[in-house]
Each structure stands twice: as structure tokens, then as C-alpha cells.
Amino acid sequence: MNLKQLAHMLALSQTTVSRALNGYPEVNEETRRRVMDAAKRHGYRPNPSARRLATGKSGMIGYVLPTGAAVDIDPHFVEFLSGLGDYARSHELDLVLSPADADDQETTYRRIVANRQVDAVYISSPKPQDSRVALVSTLGIPFLVHGRSEGFDFDYPYLDIDNEGAFHEAARLLVQLGHRRLALINGDDRETFAIHRQRGVRRALAASGLTLGERHVCSVVMTEENGYRATRRLLEASDAPTAIACSSLIMALGVVRAVRDLDLTIPGDVSLIAHDDVFPWLKPENFSVPLSTTRSSIRLAGARVAERLAARISGLEEGARGEVWPVDLVVRGSVAGAPA
Amino acid sequence: MNLKQLAHMLALSQTTVSRALNGYPEVNEETRRRVMDAAKRHGYRPNPSARRLATGKSGMIGYVLPTGAAVDIDPHFVEFLSGLGDYARSHELDLVLSPADADDQETTYRRIVANRQVDAVYISSPKPQDSRVALVSTLGIPFLVHGRSEGFDFDYPYLDIDNEGAFHEAARLLVQLGHRRLALINGDDRETFAIHRQRGVRRALAASGLTLGERHVCSVVMTEENGYRATRRLLEASDAPTAIACSSLIMALGVVRAVRDLDLTIPGDVSLIAHDDVFPWLKPENFSVPLSTTRSSIRLAGARVAERLAARISGLEEGARGEVWPVDLVVRGSVAGAPA
DNA sequence: CAGGAAAGCCAAAGCGCTTTGGAAGACTCT
DNA sequence: AGAGTCTTCCAAAGCGCTTTGGCTTTCCTG
């Protein structure tokens, strides 16, 4: 059942039927009702390929997925996707993932824009002066950055959490508890979120005349194993920290294992605060010692990203609005006063 | 730059240019070369919306993503995606995720097929007599099942790992080591993979005249917390098992924590074997006691699924070919002889 | 009641590609 | 040499929708 058939059976022109269906004003309300009704009754659904050819709109949002044998997709992605899907579902938006060589995403961005495959894209895990952000903002397609870039002479729309504030609060708490040597086990510090977190920790320390030692900050891919290694290295050194801030729950697993391997205890010998993106399958309160966290649901962020993208597509949102979400500090058993 | 312009500048008809580009035989080799050359030089790329409207092919594969506030996307999905993306990238295939209400995926399947949004779909985590498999096979779109369904009177193409064989081997090893009371901490037993794993364990036990006690098999969503709870329940009972087979590394985290909370040890008091889908961020060899596993890379499966879907789209693969991958049993420190 | 505005509808022209049905010329065969 | 067959190309008809421009008809207004 296509438009032509529907129009014919209603004894109307395609024009009118199309306009009635798409809510244009120049059609009689009663006619519109008739059309809507018939469309529903016959299960008419406009062919998206055709609509797309005519309008250039696809009803899909895009994401360029960096892939490669050596590239691992962040497990957070799944949670983000849950949220995004949740919103998208109720708005009949689809998400198209365009896999790209991690070292050459530009080609793919250009392709999906030139081809008008999607109406909008989002970018995640940006670095400072991220080339994707620069590229996409010149390409003239609606977009949103999940996270933040830095160092541009232009603004862009983004949704980020207050990473600096979160780690500032976490570090401040640890300092208040008497800790003088803090360590930060961070994610890849080429990414903005990691930079912000480090900045937050430094600022909190500086407020008490302390500093974050060169050897007390690690920047690694966020795996359990890297959490373990970093912790071993930190705690086996002569100036071992008494408190650790850690950028992910998964790394925190490794931290806990390392502490145990060294016959130390949390929080007796070392306090620990980690960032929690809220996974359904790994909860900080279930760690052997309940873990203090800075908490922010990445799933909610996914839903919000979808919502704002939809708004941008339909022109309801414009300009370079940045949105920063506060982060909760949830104190549990893994922090205590500094050992004597 | 569209076909018309290109044709005009070559002083050829659109027909010929189109045919030259798409490898049709009725065009002179030299003309083809000229066309190809000009196309490349001017960066001509056929508009996919138009091609799609004309051919009905989209160059995309689809996946219906069950979503909802209470629905969590399996973290395995990300690894699967890595593999799928890896293949898709080199073949300019995109993946479209169509989020759907988890309780009504049929509508979405019908929509994406009717709309010709994708050339093929895959289905994952099937149950026996899975309605999606039944539906899709009547819809006449190329598809592939990742995993297996059961109980149909028709065949369908799938890619699965030998879950039954894997858990049979695991259980057999434990029995050989003298264990008489095994437990299975399984995933949702409405899904086929869980049924197969249980079947494998039972078969191994039966071979030695043993059985899997009613209370020794749990079927839960695969989270750390559920692994913990199941283990507490198992080990605090009077007929506590001396060995546990576990369906996921994430649950195994919980198992290890529960064992430790009870002041028991692995493998002294209880042996443990878990299934490992090979995550880059959590490795069995890094567990406090290196974990024995049944191992199968879900990432490789993703790549293979993409490859076979591509083959089906282009007609290179037909019929209901089932493919079952063997699973490695990797023995590490977490298994030992049964306690006296 | 003439003139203009507004409402309601339509025919037809795209959107950019593929594919059908020839046609013209070159070649083979008897 | 004439008939038949390839080879190589083309014009034009879709694919199913949106949108432009215009045509009636109705409704006011002075």
C-alpha cells in the first residue's frame, strides 16, 4: 500500500494525502481525519527510502564506531546505548553504527554526512581539540558531544558530567580525613574526562597545600589488570599513597585485588574512591568492602543525548548549548581516616 | 556530483555509467575504465537513498535491540559488536540498531523488513521456539541466529558455540577430580545456551552415576551480585557442593567474593570453572586464584556473523546452515581434587 | 455586489538511481 | 551478400515520496 493507492482509494490527490498525513495546515480538518483514518485502517506506512530521497531526512542518528583488532569498545558503551535506545524507541529513531578504522574516522564521518545517511551524529570520549568535533562542526550536520573537548575557538553542543567537581569532592573528602599522599588511577589521559578528573584532584590537594606526586598518577586503559598493576606499583613504592581515587569500577576490582595481595586492607591501610557509571552487573555496594563512589548514570546520559539530538534534528534546540551534570559522591565503607 | 553530471561530462548516458560502475557486462572494458577513472577523480559516490529506492537494498544489517527501563543490555554485546564492526568496516556495511520494547519486538521486526531498512538481520540470545526466529524466517529477509533455538519443525541458519560440550568437559574434569556434588550457576534458563550448558553438566554427571541436585542449579541474570547470592545459598546449605560451574566471568566475581566471605578457599574447599567470553577488561588468569574457564571469543563470533550475513545478502550462502564452534577448556588454579 | 483574501485541493516536477526495452553498428556464418 | 548474432550504448520508465506553483471555491469587507 503506497501513497498513490491510498490517494486513489480516497479520491484525493497524492499531494493532499501527503499533506494531511504530515500535518500541513492547508488541508481541511475533516479531510485530514478521513485520510488519517484510512491510512491507519489500511496500515499505510510511507516508504522511508522514498521519503528520504525526497526530503533528505532519514530518521536515524549515527555513531562512528572505532574498530580494529587492537581496539576495544568501552564496556560503558552498552549502558549508554540502553539509555539512548530507551528514548529512541519511543520516537521511532534508529541508531546506525558505522564501523571505522580507529585511525581514520574522518573518511567515515564524511561519508555518512555526504550520503545523508543520518540526520544527526553524536561523538563520545572526546579528547581536547578533538578532530572529530572540529570536523563535524564544519560538516553542517546536527551533532552532540558526549563529554567535552577543549581548546577550540568555537563552541559546540555537549553533554558532560562534572568530572572535575566529582574528583575534587572525592579528593577533598580524603584530605579532610587526614590523607596527605593521594594517588589517582586514571583512564587514558589524552581524553578530556581524565584530564578533568586529574584537575579536580589537584585542585583539592592544592587547597591544602598538597600536590599530586608525579609517580602518584597513572593513566591507563581501564581494565581490571591495569588497576591491579597500578596499585601494586603505587603501594610497593616507598612513598606509598594512603588513599586512591580510581576512574572506574572495573579498575577498582584490580585495586582491591592488589591491596589484598599485599596483605593490606581497605580502608585500614588505604582508602579508595572510584567513579561509578552505574552498571547493572557490578555494584560498588557489593565490593568486599563497600566502595565509596562518585556516581553518575551513563544510561541517563544516553537517554538525554538521544533527546537532545532529536530536538536538534527538529530544530527545537539550536546553538552551542553545553550541559554539565553534577555528580553524586556516595560515601561507603572504603574510606577512613589516614593511618597513623 | 551525481550520476547525471558524471554522465554528461563523459558524454555518456546515465545508463552506461551506472552499468560501468556496477560491473555489468554489457559495457566496453575501455569505456568502463574511463568511467571508473572519472568517478574516482571526481569523488563520485552514488547517493544511497536513491540507490536504495531503486534497488531496495540498503547496505546495512539490522539488529532489534530490546530496551526498556527494566531491560539491561548484555555487556557481552559490546565485544560481539567489536567483532562485527571489524568485519563490517572493511566491507562498508553499517549496522542499524532498532530499539524496541522488549515485550514487543515483532512490530519492530515487521517494520524494518517492510520498510526495507536493512538487507539482513541477526538475532541473538534465542530461546527454544524463539518467536523472533519463527517470525523472521517467514518474513523472507536474510538472517542469522547467533546462538540456537530449538523445537522447530524447520531449519534455520545459525552460529553457535558448543555450550553443551564445553560444560560437559568442565563437569567431567571436576568429576574426575573426585567431586561428587557439583553445582551450576547458570544464566537465564529460558535461553537455549543455558539449557545446553545444564544439559552438558547433567550428561557428565550421569556418566558417573551422579545427578545435578534440584537445589544445585541456579538460573539468574548474570550479575556479580547474583553470583554472590547463589554461592552463599549453595555453600551455606548442608549438602554444599564442592565444585561450581559458572556461566560467566562476571558472576564468577561474585562467587569468589562469597567463598571468601565464608572463610573458604578456592580450590581448597570448592573448585570453580567459569565460562569466559574473552573480555579485554576482565581476564580469568587475573582472578585472585587463576580461574579455569571454558573459553570462546564472542568477538570472533561477531566477525563471523557479519561475514555470513554478508554472504547471505549477496547470495553466496544459502539454506539453513548451522555452524557450531568448539570451546576450549582452559585449566588454571581454581580446580583441584575434592576435599576429603 | 465587485474585489481581494483565504481555504482547500491538484497536477506535475523533482529527488538520484536502476533497469527495461530497444537501436545502431560490428561481426559471424552460410 | 543477406540474415542472424553480438556488442555497446541509449532514452525513458519507474521506485514512492515531498513540494512548488496554480487553480477553484468560499468567505469577507466596504
Side-chain angles (χ1 to χ4, degrees), chain A residues 201-257:
Chain A
V201 172
R202 287 193 190 279
R203 189 154 57 80
L205 290 176
S208 300
L210 301 170
T211 57
L212 187 60
E214 186 69 41
R215 291 190 318 285
H216 280 171
V217 41
C218 335
S219 161
V220 293
V221 175
M222 301 196 283
T223 67
E224 191 273 351
E225 183 168 344
N226 284 337
Y228 179 86
R229 288 196 181 150
T231 307
R232 286 293 297 233
R233 197 168 52 67
L234 286 168
L235 296 184
E236 284 172 339
S238 55
D239 56 348
T242 61
I244 295 177
C246 173
S247 262
S248 96
L249 272 201
I250 292 171
M251 285 203 294
L253 285 171
V255 174
V256 170
R257 180 163 64 93

Side-chain angles (χ1 to χ4, degrees), chain B residues 8 32 45 47 50 66 78 84 86 102 122 161 218 251 320 329:
Chain B
H8 183 258
R32 186 193 306 280
R45 287 193 143 282
N47 176 321
V78 145
L84 193 119
D86 234 7
Y122 82 88
I161 62 173
C218 335
M251 283 202 295
L329 176 61

Side-chain angles (χ1 to χ4, degrees), chain B residues 26-92:
Chain B
E26 58 262 80
V27 43
N28 191 315
E29 267 315 314
E30 201 239 306
T31 309
R32 186 193 306 280
R33 240 189 308 279
R34 252 180 69 220
V35 171
M36 292 280 216
D37 211 59
K40 178 155 295 174
R41 219 174 33 252
H42 294 85
Y44 168 75
R45 287 193 143 282
N47 176 321
S49 305
R51 157 174 285 173
R52 185 161 170 175
L53 179 60
T55 63
K57 298 267 169 198
S58 67
M60 311 205 279
I61 64 188
Y63 179 66
V64 172
L65 187 75
T67 55
V71 180
D72 300 320
I73 302 180
D74 195 314
H76 301 309
F77 182 62
V78 145
E79 271 305 294
F80 182 83
L81 213 54
S82 286
L84 193 119
D86 234 7
Y87 179 92
R89 167 168 57 89
S90 46
H91 295 253
E92 286 217 359

Side-chain angles (χ1 to χ4, degrees), chain B residues 185-318:
Chain B
I185 301 181
N186 211 347
D188 185 340
D189 65 3
R190 285 166 305 183
E191 293 187 25
T192 318
F193 85 90
I195 294 169
H196 285 187
R197 288 179 185 178
Q198 183 172 148
R199 203 179 283 165
V201 171
R202 287 191 191 280
R203 189 154 57 79
L205 289 176
S208 299
L210 300 170
T211 56
L212 186 60
E214 185 68 42
R215 290 190 318 284
H216 282 170
V217 41
C218 335
S219 161
V220 292
V221 175
M222 301 196 284
T223 67
E224 193 271 351
E225 182 168 343
N226 284 337
Y228 179 84
R229 288 199 182 149
T231 307
R232 286 291 297 234
R233 196 169 51 69
L234 286 168
L235 296 184
E236 285 174 337
S238 54
D239 57 348
T242 61
I244 295 177
C246 173
S247 262
S248 97
L249 272 201
I250 292 171
M251 283 202 295
L253 284 172
V255 174
V256 170
R257 180 163 64 94
V259 170
R260 183 155 30 222
D261 274 8
L262 293 170
D263 279 323
L264 299 174
T265 63
I266 296 174
D269 299 297
V270 46
S271 287
L272 176 61
I273 301 183
H275 183 74
D276 177 21
D277 293 286
V278 192
F279 294 124
W281 40 270
L282 183 62
K283 301 186 173 172
E285 58 267 38
N286 289 335
F287 273 54
S288 49
V289 175
L291 207 57
S292 298
T293 58
T294 53
R295 180 181 60 194
S296 179
S297 165
I298 199 169
R299 187 164 180 160
L300 290 178
R304 180 64 180 144
V305 163
E307 184 181 11
R308 288 188 57 191
L309 281 174
R312 295 189 84 84
I313 290 172
S314 56
L316 296 174
E317 179 184 316
E318 285 181 324

Side-chain angles (χ1 to χ4, degrees), chain A residues 281-322:
Chain A
W281 40 272
L282 182 61
K283 301 188 171 172
E285 58 266 38
N286 289 334
F287 273 54
S288 48
V289 176
L291 207 57
S292 300
T293 58
T294 53
R295 180 181 61 193
S296 180
S297 165
I298 199 169
R299 187 161 180 164
L300 290 179
R304 180 66 181 143
V305 164
E307 183 180 11
R308 286 189 57 191
L309 282 174
R312 294 190 85 82
I313 290 172
S314 56
L316 295 175
E317 180 184 314
E318 286 182 323
R321 208 156 69 73

